[in-house]
Structure formats: C-alpha cells, structure tokens
Amino acid sequence: MSISGLFRFPAPLTRLCRVPQGLGLWEKLTLLSPRIAATVVQMAGKKDCPALLPLDENELEEQFVKGHGPGGQATNKTSNCVVLKHIPSGIVVKCHQTRSVDHNRKLARKILQEKVDVFYNGENSPVYKEKREAAKKKQDRKKRAKETLEKKKLLKQLWESSKNSTEKNH
Amino acid sequence: MKLWARMLWALLSGPGGRSGGIRGLAFSSWKSHPPLAGLLSPTGLVSHWTRVFEKRGIPEARESSEYIVAHVLGAKTFQSLKPVLRTQPLTPQQLQCIQVLCSRRLQRVPVQYILGEWDFRGLSLKMVPPVFIPRPETEELVEWVLEEVAQRPNVVEAQGGPLILEVGCGSGAISLSLLSQLPQSQVIAVDKEEAAIDLTYENAQRLRLQDRIQIIPFDVTSVGSWTHLLPWGPMDLIVSNPPYVFHHDMEQLAPEIRSYEDPVALDGGEEGMDIITRILTLAPQFLKDSGSIFLEVEPRHPELVSNWLQSHPDLCLNLVAIRRDFCGRPRFLHVQRSGP
C-alpha cells in the first residue's frame, strides 16, 4: 500500500500575505496563524505603524547543519546554526542565538525580514523610523532632565541669596 | 617565571597536548598585555580550543569550544554573549574551568553531558549520563502534538486535559514541554531505567511541573506489567521517541553516543521496530476511542509501520499521517485508534 498520500508538510514559518488594511500589525499577523504571532517583529503593537515587507518562503534558501548524517537518535549534533538567504536581494542572515533550531529559524526570519525591508525601503523602513524615534525620545528625556536640574539649581541659588539678604538685614 | 605565566602555559597546553606556537607566544610575550589579553579572551580561547579539537579529530570543534566557553560565562550560546564581553580577559578560575571541560571533550564526552544541561524548546533541562540526550528533531514532534491538540478542543476533558502517556521519557523533555505548553494537561511518563525516572523527576521539579506529572518505572516490553498503568485511565494521547536504531547500525554510531549514552535508549532491535510495535500493540488498551499515538521513528519506518498495522487489523489502528523533520526526512508518525 502506498503511503505517499499520508505525508504532511508543516506550514512554513512565515507566510505573510497582504491582508486587509485597517487592522493593526499585531492583528494582521495573528489572523494568519497563531504560530506566526511568535515571529512578529518588534514593531508589533503599534497600530498606525506600517507592516514590514513580507517574506515569501519560496524566495528563501535555508541551510542547517552540514553533513547532518542519519539524523535523529543516530546523531548527536549541537550545532543548530541556521543560515537563511533571501534570494532576490542576496541578503544572508546567520543565527545561532539559541540552542533550538526552531527558535533560530524564527529569529533568522525576523532579522532577515528587517534587513530586507531596509534594503528595499531604505530610510523609509519602519526599522529606521523606529530607531530614529527611540533616539529622539532618548534625546528629549535627556533634555528634560537637564532642564529640571538647571531649574533646581536656580531655585537653590535664589533660596540661598534670599537667606543671605535676610540675614544681612538683621 | 611568574606564577601567572606558568598558569597560562599549563592552561593553554591541555593534557598531554601540544600547543606549539601558543606556548612560545606565552613565554616570550607574557609581559606585553595586548596579545596576551586577546589570547585569554573568550574569542581567543575559542580559537585555541577549536584548533586543539580539530587536531585531535573531535567533531564540531568550533561549536564545542563555543558552547563550553559560553557556558563558563553564563551564556547559552556564544553568539548570545554581548560582543564587548567576548574580548575581555577571563579570570584564572574561568580559564581553569574551561580547561577541565575541554579535557572532557577530548574524551569525546557529548557537550550536553559536559555542561550538565541542555535546552529543549526553550526549557532548560539537566543532563546526566547515560540518560538519552534529547535530539533537535524531537522538538518538532512536540510541535506537531501541540498543533493537533489545538485543532481538537473536544480532546480536553471537563476537568482539564489532554491526558498524555509518554513511553520512554528519558530526561523528561517531551513530557515537560507538553506540560508547559498545555496548562490543563496531565502526563503519565514511564521509562524502564531508574536513572531516567530520577532525571525526569528532577527536571519536573526544576520546572515546577511535578504536580501534573506521574513518573512511573515501567518496561513496555515485559509481558503483563502494563496492567499497572490501567488505573490511570484511558489516555487521549500516547507520545514516544522510542529506541528506533536498527541493531546492526548501533556499532556505527559516533563514540559520543556509543560510549556515553544508554544503548537501551537507542537499540530498537533488528529492524528498529521492537519498541514501536510493542507500543502499538498495547496502545488500544490505554487509548480512548479516536485517541492518537505520535511517534518519532527512523526514516525507513513509515513503510514498515504501515505494513505492520495492516497485518494487525485487530488493533483498529490506522497510520493517518507522516511528517518530515527539518532535514526533509520522514521522521514522525500519527497513528489513530478507530473505535473499540
């Protein structure tokens, strides 16, 4: 009996397609699959933030451990580095952040998606916008802190000088 | 010669090993810091031990030294170490620790046993020889089970579920992953080896999952002992990564596996089917109607299992799906019970 009809192929890790506008990034991605939510890039949660360019699995080339051997119980490999290439742009990402092949695959896709977006969108990429916003916020915080400090100094000086003048008058 | 330089020499030369140029460098330039600091940084140590391992024919030379050095620095992978830490000199204690661990690698001890811990689907598990080390493929077995459970909410009992039986729990990887992802589930985990029972128990406690797991010594091949499991109730699922290596392939296994892992956890008999068929034979007694069995197997097994099930129609089991691992090999089977 042929068993060829029994094969199931696991859903690709990311299969981000164009989805209806009006939804926030997070909602868009969780609609497609609960598992894809795990691969959502850091910009998720910002309702008015445009989505990153989607990655098509067919345009990706993935490489795991070379010479994996028979695999499974017959092998004990610790190298689970994932090398992921985006064929149209030629961008390659190497991920060995975690000890899990599965996590490295997801992380590699996340990093690759950001790089590919920057490649095509340049400075307009949400990746850069996010960085600029973060840098600006940091600058604003520093500025405010500095201003507050100066105000305190000024108040202190006024307090000191009013004390002195009161003493002189007595 | 300063004590420090003497230590450096001893630490870098390895047991009975020759480090040639490195030793010479240590002698002549221990006074000048920059080259020495580089040598004693994580990056320097990794390069050094990679070369030593390569010379001695140790497989995964670079990965092994990276994992060991990262571990000594408290990180799980070398790449996850902050770049600034990678170039800072290590303390003598850290160097000593790396030396000891790398010597074990020279004895072909698997990295997971050297570190005493390893990750499985993000869970940190203690590893103790000779209990079987979880393989990366098996993470996908758990993934598949989770997908199937999510698709069938009726599998969940009123008081929580699903109820899962794991045969051959080893370090507890499969059971504990399922428990951590299915907060209502309960697991009966069995293994014939005492060391595996102990380790699964320890890992369950480390992960605070001990309340939802029963860990029972049980030999699935011993006739009649299975009745002990019946009181735990019919199961929703049976999951297993049973020993499935073909017996004549055992001697071709790498020294890491042959010398340090329990052969009982690997040897599946002549066609690697002994434990698989035993699980399938017993399954109908333990499974609810339409209950499922998920197995990790050898790539040659899908055909063999299909044929075997056909010649045992009384079991009312059907092979419903086969799934490939990340290397494209047929690796996982879904067998379903159809009615009483």
Side-chain angles (χ1 to χ4, degrees):
Chain A
M1 176 187 130
S2 166
I3 49 167
S4 51
L6 295 174
F7 277 89
R8 298 285 178 275
F9 300 96
L13 284 182
T14 56
R15 191 108 218 159
L16 304 179
C17 316
R18 305 275 170 207
V19 287
Q21 296 301 313
L23 289 174
L25 180 63
W26 186 267
E27 289 97 311
K28 281 180 194 170
L29 292 167
T30 48
L31 256 191
L32 291 164
S33 155
R35 289 198 308 147
I36 289 180
T39 63
V40 165
V41 293
Q42 261 154 2
M43 273 122 272
K46 291 193 171 182
K47 283 211 174 121
D48 49 10
C49 178
L52 291 187
L53 283 176
L55 282 183
D56 185 353
E57 281 291 323
N58 295 324
E59 292 177 341
L60 301 182
E61 208 175 75
E62 199 169 25
Q63 231 188 332
F64 303 106
V65 179
K66 272 192 187 146
H68 196 72
Q73 290 173 4
T75 314
N76 181 19
K77 293 284 184 190
T78 57
S79 53
N80 44 35
C81 180
V82 174
V83 181
L84 193 61
K85 180 177 178 180
H86 182 244
I87 302 165
S89 63
I91 299 174
V92 178
V93 160
K94 226 180 173 183
C95 182
H96 196 182
Q97 280 283 333
T98 76
R99 290 173 178 172
S100 162
V101 170
D102 204 48
H103 287 182
N104 287 343
R105 293 181 79 193
K106 288 180 174 143
L107 277 171
R109 277 159 176 76
K110 177 180 148 185
I111 298 166
L112 185 64
Q113 188 177 28
E114 289 183 359
K115 291 198 165 172
V116 166
D117 194 272
V118 166
F119 181 82
Y120 288 115
N121 288 335
E123 281 194 1
N124 290 329
S125 166
V127 178
Y128 278 158
K129 284 184 180 159
E130 167 94 346
K131 280 196 180 144
R132 279 200 298 269
E133 273 172 35
K136 187 167 187 297
K137 273 189 187 160
K138 194 175 177 186
Q139 229 184 6
D140 287 344
R141 269 201 306 270
K142 274 190 174 168
K143 192 177 169 200
R144 275 199 304 272
K146 194 178 174 191
E147 282 170 5
T148 312
L149 201 66
E150 277 173 20
K151 275 183 193 163
K152 281 187 181 168
K153 270 190 196 163
L154 191 63
L155 275 171
K156 193 178 176 192
Q157 279 172 3
L158 286 172
W159 171 247
E160 297 281 311
S161 63
S162 76
K163 246 189 16 183
N164 289 342
S165 61
T166 334
E167 280 164 6
K168 277 186 197 153
N169 288 343
H170 284 94
Chain B
M1 202 207 321
K2 275 208 166 173
L3 171 66
W4 207 72
R6 233 183 297 157
M7 263 187 79
L8 171 63
W9 174 26
L11 287 170
L12 289 182
S13 40
R18 298 180 46 182
S19 10
I22 306 238
R23 199 188 298 172
L25 181 65
F27 262 113
S28 61
S29 55
W30 66 268
K31 271 185 182 154
S32 54
H33 275 266
L36 212 60
L39 215 63
L40 300 174
S41 68
T43 310
L45 263 295
V46 165
S47 298
H48 168 69
W49 280 104
T50 302
R51 275 194 300 274
V52 172
F53 290 153
E54 276 168 354
K55 263 194 190 163
R56 295 271 294 263
I58 309 294
E60 298 198 304
R62 172 155 289 274
E63 289 83 354
S64 302
S65 32
E66 282 182 350
Y67 277 122
I68 288 171
V69 173
H71 175 81
V72 167
L73 288 166
K76 289 201 172 176
T77 66
F78 197 73
Q79 196 185 39
S80 69
L81 266 177
K82 289 202 171 74
V84 66
L85 291 177
R86 292 186 213 162
T87 48
Q88 282 177 8
L90 295 159
T91 67
Q93 292 86 352
Q94 287 171 327
L95 290 170
Q96 177 70 19
C97 193
I98 291 170
Q99 160 78 359
V100 168
L101 299 183
C102 287
S103 314
R104 298 193 69 203
R105 188 69 190 113
L106 285 170
Q107 305 300 316
R108 305 295 293 261
V109 179
V111 167
Q112 299 93 333
Y113 287 154
I114 296 172
L115 304 188
E117 51 98 5
W118 198 244
D119 282 18
F120 185 79
R121 289 186 61 93
L123 294 179
S124 189
L125 298 171
K126 186 173 175 184
M127 295 284 128
V128 176
V131 181
F132 180 79
I133 297 166
R135 306 304 202 240
E137 284 88 342
T138 313
E139 289 184 333
E140 237 191 295
L141 175 66
V142 173
E143 180 82 22
W144 197 15
V145 173
L146 292 171
E147 283 172 19
E148 291 290 317
V149 168
Q151 278 170 24
R152 280 183 289 165
N154 58 327
V155 157
V156 177
E157 295 178 43
Q159 62 263 51
L163 180 57
I164 303 168
L165 170 66
E166 184 192 354
V167 178
C169 52
S171 57
I174 295 174
S175 287
L176 298 172
S177 293
L178 289 171
L179 280 174
S180 69
Q181 295 299 304
L182 300 169
Q184 302 302 314
S185 62
Q186 301 264 344
V187 168
I188 316 290
V190 305
D191 202 291
K192 87 181 227 196
E193 295 297 317
E194 183 98 27
I197 298 294
D198 291 344
L199 187 56
T200 297
Y201 184 69
E202 194 171 346
N203 281 322
Q205 293 211 298
R206 272 159 66 112
L207 297 168
R208 315 233 279 224
L209 294 168
Q210 71 274 28
D211 292 339
R212 291 191 284 130
I213 186 170
Q214 297 285 337
I215 307 165
I216 302 166
F218 173 68
D219 181 352
V220 77
T221 58
S222 72
V223 181
S225 68
W226 54 267
T227 47
H228 298 156
L229 292 186
L230 284 176
W232 300 111
M235 317 285 170
D236 295 297
L237 302 170
I238 298 177
V239 189
S240 184
N241 178 21
Y244 59 66
V245 176
F246 283 51
H247 181 71
H248 63 258
D249 288 339
M250 289 289 292
E251 59 184 14
Q252 270 140 48
L253 298 177
E256 280 80 2
I257 303 173
R258 243 186 16 241
S259 306
Y260 296 99
E261 284 189 292
D262 189 352
V264 156
L266 295 153
D267 193 339
E270 198 180 323
E271 287 193 312
M273 289 277 280
D274 292 2
I275 314 299
I276 294 171
T277 52
R278 194 71 190 127
I279 293 171
L280 294 172
T281 305
L282 292 180
Q285 276 130 176
F286 295 119
L287 271 180
K288 291 178 180 168
D289 295 351
S290 316
S292 287
I293 307 160
F294 289 93
L295 298 172
E296 179 179 320
V297 297
E298 219 263 7
R300 283 169 282 183
H301 283 150
E303 191 87 47
L304 295 176
V305 168
S306 174
N307 295 339
W308 190 88
L309 286 175
Q310 283 199 292
S311 55
H312 293 79
D314 50 303
L315 295 174
C316 301
L317 294 174
N318 299 303
L319 175 60
V320 299
I322 306 164
R323 181 148 154 163
R324 294 179 191 271
D325 61 27
F326 61 82
C327 289
R329 298 190 181 101
R331 183 64 67 186
F332 310 107
L333 304 180
H334 179 185
V335 175
Q336 200 164 21
R337 184 175 178 225
S338 53

